[in-house]
Amino acid sequence: MRIDLPLEDFLALPDTEKVAYIGDRGILYAQQFRRADLDRYNEVADAARKLARRPQGSAFMSGLLKHRMALNFFVQPSSRTFMSFNAAEALLGLNRMSVRDPAISSMSKGETLVDSVRTFISYVDLIVMRHADDDAAATAFWTASRAHRRITLPGGEKVPVPIVSGGSGTTQHPTQALLDVYTLERSLRPVGGIDGKTLLLVGDLARGRTTRSLAFLMPEYRDVKLVFAAPEKFRMGQDVRDFLDARGVPWSEVESLDAGIERADAIYMTRIQDEHDAGKQKGVHEKAEDRFRFTLDHLDAMKPHAALLHPLPKRDEIDPAVDDVEDRRVAYWRQERNGMWMRVAILAHLFRVDGLLLDAASAPVGG
Ligand code: NCD
């Protein structure tokens, strides 16, 4: 439970080894999840969605974590992740606080992240965090493991205050990957779900943490193929390509959306993550190249059952005309709301009340 390594040594471990320390006491890396976990999260998200439809179900759900306090510690820009975690916490009855601006917290007085997290743990039972530093969530997890404070789960197990990453630097966004597979499984349900499908990932794959985390989940599905469409400078990272090779997930690269669209069962668009550019001017954004822009012609070329996803926010990489088309294949707005249900499932599992949600949703009065 307590990580006995010095922080530097813990951070130096490969993520696949850090995962062994995390178990299911936090969410930091997409590599943490096995297929059975993913299926279970999807089931719990569906149960939450169903319960929330009726006053009785919603009242049951909002009684589950009334005694818990969450901190949403988001010191990098966020709309969806911040709001959907807040909404999910409210649905489960969690009390909540937020820290969003480091300039008005003690971090501006030079407090270390370790000391800040140690302080937060004195007041809250959960930290959801987004941070520009790739190692921030791992640092928080290490700190929580060594703090005295423990929370007692139903059944009596005592665990450190759980840490959930809502986006770490340019490397991982594990809860986004969970909501993305939930959206893919729902959208592709008529054709057997994600198994056996081809996913086309488009845009800034080098710095896009969402596509990286999603790729890390793909070995859990049978016979999935990945196709990457990115400008040379934004190629999918070598670490992800090596991981897929080692796990036997076939991947290829194409020069344009056109070159991959007809074979794709899902298209996952991303924006250029230009906030990471040195000397970037405020309000000025790099434009997507035409060959990586999704237009109405691409919608025409998509398979009839295919799904179009985007983690959002988007800029010019999707023609705004696509927003207004009445077409089930355009999934990105549904994807946002799916994120809220998935985050209910994530929090319910961390506090071990997910079984209660499933039972209530399947009870005759539940739904
Ligand atoms: C993503 C992120 O923050 O990485 N947004 C999100 O959480 N939905 C994608 C992005 O910012 O491009």
Side-chain angles (χ1 to χ4, degrees):
M1 198 76 66
R2 180 189 148 93
I3 301 174
D4 276 325
L5 301 172
L7 177 60
E8 298 66 39
D9 294 357
F10 178 62
L11 295 179
L13 293 175
D15 294 349
T16 41
E17 285 178 39
K18 288 197 200 93
V19 159
Y21 288 88
I22 297 163
D24 59 0
R25 293 190 301 276
I27 299 192
L28 280 76
Y29 304 102
Q31 297 93 314
Q32 276 174 252
F33 305 109
R34 301 286 69 83
R35 176 64 180 269
D37 306 322
L38 300 172
D39 290 347
R40 165 95 175 187
Y41 278 118
N42 292 344
E43 219 185 309
V44 177
D46 275 342
R49 184 192 287 271
K50 184 176 167 198
L51 282 171
R53 281 192 204 122
R54 291 181 202 271
Q56 225 181 331
S58 144
F60 170 79
M61 200 150 59
S62 66
L64 288 173
L65 296 178
K66 253 185 154 40
H67 57 309
R68 299 294 190 193
M69 176 74 79
L71 171 66
N72 297 311
F73 171 43
F74 278 62
V75 288
Q76 230 197 349
S78 177
S79 301
R80 274 147 288 269
T81 308
F82 180 76
M83 287 185 70
S84 65
F85 265 112
N86 267 274
E89 289 156 4
L91 284 161
L92 286 163
L94 271 149
N95 298 291
R96 50 201 196 282
M97 296 194 275
S98 55
V99 171
R100 293 210 69 173
D101 186 354
I104 54 163
S105 88
S106 285
M107 280 166 268
S108 69
K109 300 181 187 166
E111 185 175 58
T112 62
L113 181 62
V114 168
D115 282 1
S116 295
V117 169
R118 187 93 189 224
T119 301
F120 300 156
I121 284 170
S122 303
Y123 309 116
V124 301
D125 309 306
L126 162 75
I127 300 175
V128 183
M129 60 188 284
R130 168 172 289 194
H131 201 286
D133 180 352
D134 290 348
D135 284 333
T139 301
F141 187 87
W142 178 89
T143 305
S145 90
R146 297 168 65 98
H148 293 118
R149 182 128 185 276
R150 292 287 182 263
I151 60 166
T152 308
L153 296 176
E157 192 192 353
K158 292 190 188 316
V159 295
V161 167
I163 306 294
V164 176
S165 165
S168 277
T170 57
T171 53
Q172 284 265 357
H173 196 345
T175 68
Q176 177 77 39
L178 293 176
L179 78 90
D180 292 340
V181 298
Y182 181 48
T183 302
L184 287 167
E185 286 282 52
R186 286 175 70 87
S187 300
L188 298 172
R189 192 171 288 164
V191 288
I194 298 174
D195 288 325
K197 302 300 186 297
T198 297
L199 271 53
L200 173 62
L201 309 184
V202 188
D204 185 347
L205 306 182
R207 303 174 296 183
R209 53 194 173 191
T210 62
T211 40
R212 289 174 51 85
S213 287
L214 184 60
F216 282 127
L217 289 183
M218 287 305 109
E220 301 304 316
Y221 293 88
R222 278 190 303 279
D223 302 326
V224 167
K225 294 190 183 67
L226 290 175
V227 183
F228 304 137
E232 177 64 29
K233 62 178 177 175
F234 299 142
R235 267 186 95 185
M236 181 56 95
Q238 183 74 48
D239 58 336
V240 177
R241 289 181 275 136
D242 289 346
F243 173 88
L244 295 171
D245 285 340
R247 302 299 172 98
V249 177
W251 58 270
S252 57
E253 294 177 304
V254 291
E255 293 296 315
S256 65
L257 244 170
D258 285 341
I261 191 117
E262 283 170 10
R263 76 181 100 147
D265 300 289
I267 297 108
Y268 192 106
M269 299 294 300
T270 63
R271 71 180 171 86
I272 297 176
Q273 312 275 314
D274 54 0
E275 65 271 35
H276 303 292
D277 289 342
K280 164 151 180 359
Q281 261 183 291
K282 216 174 164 207
V284 180
H285 294 291
E286 182 171 342
K287 293 219 174 321
E289 287 179 48
D290 278 346
R291 64 195 169 113
F292 300 115
R293 284 189 72 233
F294 193 99
T295 65
L296 291 173
D297 290 339
H298 294 110
L299 199 58
D300 283 341
M302 271 168 78
K303 291 184 185 178
H305 65 252
L308 173 63
L309 280 74
H310 192 307
L312 302 176
K314 61 183 170 62
R315 286 204 302 265
D316 58 340
E317 64 279 0
I318 297 186
D319 181 340
V322 178
D323 292 348
D324 296 323
V325 179
E326 282 292 322
D327 189 319
R328 275 295 288 173
R329 294 176 299 175
V330 178
Y332 42 84
W333 303 117
R334 299 201 299 278
Q335 188 182 354
E336 289 191 316
R337 190 152 176 91
N338 287 342
M340 180 180 77
W341 301 122
M342 177 49 70
R343 283 161 178 146
V344 171
I346 288 167
L347 300 176
H349 180 65
L350 276 175
F351 289 104
R352 308 295 186 262
V353 294
D354 46 341
L356 294 176
L357 271 184
L358 286 176
D359 290 347
S362 62
V365 289

